[in-house]
Amino acid sequence: MRVEFLGGVRTVTGSATLLETNSLKWLVDCGMFQGGKEIEERNRNIRSYSPQDLSFILLTHAHIDHSGLIPRLVREGFRGKVICTKATLDLCEVLFRDSGHIQEMEAEWQTRKSKRSGKRGVTPLYTVKDAEESLRYFQTVHYDEILKLADGVRICLRDAGHILGSAIIELWVEEGVQERKLVFSGDLGSLNQPLVRDPSKIERGDVLWLESTYGNRFHKSRKETVNELSKIIQEAICDQAKVVIPAFAVGRTQDIIYTIGQLIREGAISPIPIYIDSPLAISATEIFQRNSDCFDEETKALLLGGRNPLEPPEIVYTRTMEESKAINEDSRAGIIVSASGMCDSGRIKHHLKHHLWRKESHIVIIGYQSEGTVGRMLVDGAKTVRLLGEEIAVKARIHTLGGFSAHADQEGLLKWLSYFKNPQLEVFVNHGEEKISIELAQVIQQKFNYKTAVPQWREKRSLFTPEREAVPEERVEEVSALGETFTTLLNRLDRSYKRLRRKLKRERTKGEESVDPRRLRQLGEINEKLEELESEL
Ligand SMILES: [Zn+2]
Ligand SMILES: [Zn+2]
């Protein structure tokens, strides 16, 4: 059996893995690359397979970085089955439509720009119609149910506790006399996240794909984070001010609604208007309500007791632009939750424009902020930001609350990994920035002594060779964690040497008398060390 790593490797977006036996080809996840022109080019270049040759796509969850290219594959001839949970299908329905709309708008804008410079128009990656059409190929399964997909291929979806409907995929593949079990963690939730259950424990497996979004971080405790939020809201109530929370439409928004509701239920804050100002977030929240079987026990108990945790008092869902504008005409204290989560598109931009320059307002950042986004600039302490064509002063208080993450931190990932009982387990660390994946791979190797690797984009390997070794093909390079350390150290050496030379040169131009004898001694020592190392090799 062969595997090709097509995305979500050394980056957090574009998750996709191609698997191939003698008779079948299929994908696990089919995500869209996001984060700049260069990487997004990969969305248009599917070179490793023809969509019509794929038998199925196994989908871990609805987030676009895992599902977003499915409409494109269907448009290009995919006629197999997309296997996922029912909640994932429901969420894909709204997310795909939204994504199709964004693709159409972007292509239209690009086309106008291209035509002005005498070039040809741009076709969208896919349209709303393609998005809707692709949903026909979905087949849903329940958690924990084993499904035979073809001769020699069985799967089981287990709760990943990341967002509603998210799954860890267990996959058994037979080839000849061998059977191996592959496990895909998908995005793994953190413990005690509201609404969703904790990630399922998996004990058996031969090969594991493990996400590493926060593989080098330790989140603050949820309790501490909730207390911080409570203080911010109390202060805003006192000052009659607004709290603006940029939040991803699926997952973070519902989490924050639940948490504010909880603070009101416990009497920590008095009821305050909560505006949910994002049509996508509103649709997603409705889907959460329809899939209450996926909720954790705490949420189910609240529902049974007649208290809907997604409908705290004074919650206002605003769909139209008029309703959205009216929010800021209300002079009372209030909380505005709006998308996009990284502040670079959508209605959140209007709210930031309205509040960033007011020193009594609060901006609360609860999710991951990519480099280059307005959200990241605010986190990094920018004094002004450009929004909707205007330079806006940042006078509001900016708070970054780490404990709301929907991804396990290093401690959570290692704990989940500790449930495996196979000393021969092989681990591919994926879904993380390069440096972070490598760091986690090293920690795993040291702690568990598992064979770990951080694959390259489009790297191919064989999973069924008796010695279980990587098969060197095309652009495969050795990526064991030790190999990684070696490369990292070499790169560091290169960079330090260049910096050192630059500084020494500067020193020399100052003239002979400025040369420090201590400096000469140090350089002599470095030279000796280098020569010693070289002669050892
Ligand atoms: Zn996700
Ligand atoms: Zn993801």
Side-chain angles (χ1 to χ4, degrees):
M1 148 166 248
R2 282 155 40 98
V3 54
E4 184 173 345
F5 301 91
L6 292 178
V9 282
R10 298 178 184 237
T11 166
V12 287
T13 68
S15 276
T17 308
L18 179 68
L19 294 166
E20 194 177 346
T21 60
N22 293 335
S23 52
L24 291 169
K25 243 185 219 181
W26 71 96
L27 284 178
V28 176
D29 282 343
C30 185
M32 189 183 281
F33 288 98
Q34 289 157 312
K37 217 173 157 195
E38 200 184 318
I39 199 162
E40 284 171 19
E41 215 20 67
R42 294 182 186 179
N43 292 326
R44 294 191 178 264
N45 293 323
I46 307 166
R47 284 186 301 240
S48 304
Y49 59 89
S50 307
Q52 57 265 43
D53 295 340
L54 298 177
S55 300
F56 25 83
I57 298 168
L58 312 179
L59 182 57
T60 58
H61 66 289
H63 278 152
I64 287 295
D65 61 312
H66 296 256
S67 67
L69 285 189
I70 292 174
R72 175 162 171 81
L73 258 60
V74 171
R75 188 167 91 170
E76 310 245 307
F78 171 77
R79 292 296 175 265
K81 287 257 173 291
V82 180
I83 313 284
C84 62
T85 62
K86 181 188 161 287
T88 295
L89 166 59
D90 287 351
L91 288 171
C92 279
E93 209 175 316
V94 291
L95 284 171
F96 281 12
R97 226 174 265 137
D98 183 68
S99 176
H101 180 67
I102 294 172
Q103 301 306 325
E104 284 182 25
M105 303 286 284
E106 260 172 29
E108 210 181 295
W109 180 78
Q110 285 287 355
T111 298
R112 273 205 300 270
K113 209 170 127 191
S114 296
K115 285 194 171 157
R116 280 199 295 270
S117 60
K119 292 186 197 138
R120 281 198 303 167
V122 177
T123 49
L125 203 53
Y126 53 84
T127 61
V128 173
K129 203 159 162 278
D130 295 326
E132 284 167 352
E133 171 68 17
S134 70
L135 296 164
R136 283 180 40 201
Y137 297 90
F138 277 62
Q139 180 186 331
T140 61
V141 277
H142 293 291
Y143 282 126
D144 306 325
E145 208 175 75
I146 295 182
L147 180 73
K148 183 179 167 183
L149 289 178
D151 279 341
V153 185
R154 288 171 296 141
I155 62 153
C156 183
L157 302 189
R158 310 287 302 278
D159 201 331
H162 165 63
I163 57 161
L164 195 83
S166 65
I168 297 161
I169 295 178
E170 293 180 292
L171 177 64
W172 293 263
V173 185
E174 285 169 38
E175 208 171 61
V177 289
Q178 290 189 64
E179 183 185 82
R180 299 200 84 189
K181 183 183 169 191
L182 320 182
V183 180
F184 293 81
S185 75
D187 287 0
L188 215 53
S190 41
L191 296 176
N192 304 323
Q193 238 172 265
L195 298 164
V196 292
R197 291 182 282 254
D198 286 346
S200 307
K201 297 174 185 171
I202 311 289
E203 294 182 353
R204 313 224 167 271
D206 297 308
V207 189
L208 168 69
W209 276 250
L210 179 66
E211 74 121 317
S212 58
T213 317
Y214 288 120
N216 67 345
R217 285 248 213 118
F218 294 89
H219 297 324
K220 252 193 197 171
S221 80
R222 197 174 164 87
K223 199 163 170 251
E224 242 175 295
T225 308
V226 172
N227 282 343
E228 264 179 77
L229 179 68
S230 171
K231 276 200 204 107
I232 296 165
I233 299 173
Q234 284 168 34
E235 217 175 298
I237 293 174
C238 268
D239 300 346
Q240 297 257 313
K242 292 270 193 309
V243 178
V244 179
I245 310 181
F248 302 101
V250 179
R252 294 312 72 219
T253 295
Q254 294 75 27
D255 185 341
I256 209 79
I257 297 174
Y258 181 100
T259 308
I260 298 168
Q262 188 183 23
L263 287 172
I264 296 172
R265 280 195 298 279
E266 289 168 355
I269 57 169
S270 38
I272 169 172
I274 311 161
Y275 300 96
I276 306 301
D277 189 31
S278 149
L280 185 60
I282 297 169
S283 303
T285 308
E286 283 167 5
I287 291 166
F288 270 62
Q289 314 256 33
R290 286 211 304 270
N291 287 276
S292 53
D293 57 314
C294 295
F295 288 157
D296 59 8
E297 293 311 315
E298 215 178 320
T299 312
K300 279 182 186 164
L302 279 171
L303 283 170
L304 265 178
R307 306 173 100 169
N308 188 334
L310 290 175
E311 276 171 17
E314 297 199 46
I315 192 152
V316 187
Y317 289 102
T318 48
R319 278 194 191 271
T320 65
M321 279 314 281
E322 286 68 39
E323 288 170 324
S324 173
K325 281 183 191 144
I327 296 172
N328 291 314
E329 281 156 23
D330 185 344
S331 60
R332 292 177 303 161
I335 302 168
I336 305 168
V337 183
S338 184
S340 73
M342 298 196 206
C343 314
D344 42 7
S345 61
R347 293 182 182 177
I348 188 69
K349 295 208 300 196
H350 292 275
H351 296 300
L352 288 175
K353 188 176 162 190
H354 203 89
H355 288 283
L356 272 176
W357 57 275
R358 295 170 199 263
K359 63 179 187 321
E360 72 278 13
S361 299
H362 299 261
I363 316 295
V364 180
I365 306 282
I366 56 168
Y368 183 77
Q369 307 295 320
S370 282
E371 240 161 26
T373 58
V374 173
R376 180 66 162 259
M377 288 173 207
L378 293 177
V379 170
D380 290 345
K383 294 272 174 287
T384 62
V385 290
R386 204 165 173 78
L387 278 169
L388 304 162
E390 250 181 73
E391 203 67 28
I392 311 288
V394 181
K395 299 270 189 239
R397 274 158 290 176
I398 314 288
H399 313 266
T400 309
L401 304 188
F404 282 121
S405 175
H407 290 269
D409 61 1
Q410 188 184 89
E411 195 187 350
L413 291 167
L414 295 179
K415 186 157 178 47
W416 184 77
L417 189 58
S418 73
Y419 301 127
F420 279 85
K421 287 185 175 149
N422 175 9
Q424 305 295 324
L425 184 72
E426 285 174 38
V427 186
F428 293 123
V429 180
N430 67 1
H431 199 288
E433 284 170 16
E434 189 169 47
K435 194 177 128 273
I436 296 173
S437 297
I438 291 169
E439 203 178 314
L440 184 68
Q442 285 165 350
V443 173
I444 291 171
Q445 201 160 43
Q446 278 156 16
K447 197 171 157 73
F448 299 98
N449 206 20
Y450 290 146
K451 189 174 167 192
T452 58
V454 181
Q456 301 276 2
W457 180 53
R458 299 205 63 209
E459 180 182 325
K460 292 175 184 165
R461 285 183 173 229
S462 171
L463 293 179
F464 269 79
T465 46
E467 65 277 21
R468 296 176 179 180
E469 285 298 327
V471 172
E473 282 178 52
E474 292 177 25
R475 316 171 338 105
V476 178
E477 54 182 87
E478 191 41 63
V479 285
S480 72
L482 281 179
E484 288 300 350
T485 318
F486 196 69
T487 318
T488 312
L489 284 175
L490 267 183
N491 289 341
R492 258 177 63 191
L493 185 69
D494 268 347
R495 281 198 298 270
S496 328
Y497 177 70
K498 275 183 199 146
R499 276 201 306 270
L500 182 68
R501 266 200 73 96
R502 250 199 326 269
K503 286 190 179 166
L504 286 172
K505 260 188 179 168
R506 226 179 290 147
E507 197 85 340
R508 209 172 51 183
T509 52
K510 286 184 194 161
E512 203 98 314
E513 55 285 359
S514 74
V515 177
D516 183 347
R518 200 170 64 97
R519 194 72 74 237
L520 284 178
R521 217 173 35 246
Q522 284 171 324
L523 281 176
E525 278 165 17
I526 292 175
N527 270 323
E528 261 170 46
K529 271 260 173 278
L530 288 175
E531 279 158 13
E532 202 181 294
L533 186 64
E534 194 205 356
S535 66
E536 252 178 60
L537 292 169

